[in-house]
Amino acid sequence: HITEHDGRLYLTLGNWNGTRTGKVVCFDTGEIVLEDLHFPHDGFVHEGDFYISATGNSEVLIYRDVGDMNLRGREPDAILPVKMRLPV
């Protein structure tokens, strides 16, 4: 997935080298923004907060007030569990 924040593009890379982990990388600089995520998918910025699904854990990770996207080593500010319901 690709998202834009403050004029830069950020890529969510899942299943990095077949490890079932992934990272978020700034396309423009090559900088790793987040790493060691469990099967990340669909990272995006909304109103200054960064949301990314960790599909391997069935969670949405939320990083508040991301500013310049310097998130490496930072723990999420909130974690939302994702619960799936099967159709009846």
Side-chain angles (χ1 to χ4, degrees):
H1 189 81
I2 301 171
T3 192
E4 184 274 332
H5 178 63
D6 283 346
R8 291 195 170 164
L9 295 177
Y10 294 89
L11 312 175
T12 302
L13 308 172
N15 199 24
W16 187 253
N17 293 327
T19 62
R20 300 185 63 83
T21 63
K23 53 184 83 181
V24 177
V25 176
C26 178
F27 177 79
D28 303 290
T29 66
E31 176 188 8
I32 297 171
V33 176
L34 283 171
E35 58 187 336
D36 299 324
L37 301 169
H38 195 198
F39 249 134
H41 198 296
D42 294 335
F44 71 98
V45 178
H46 177 68
E47 295 183 357
D49 298 338
F50 183 65
Y51 297 79
I52 188 164
S53 58
T55 59
N57 296 335
S58 297
E59 299 172 332
V60 175
L61 310 177
I62 303 170
Y63 297 85
R64 304 228 186 266
D65 302 316
V66 295
D68 63 0
M69 289 289 284
N70 183 13
L71 304 176
R72 200 163 188 182
R74 179 175 158 183
E75 294 295 319
D77 296 297
I79 300 173
L80 302 176
V82 176
K83 297 187 181 187
M84 303 285 287
R85 288 188 180 182
L86 296 175
V88 181

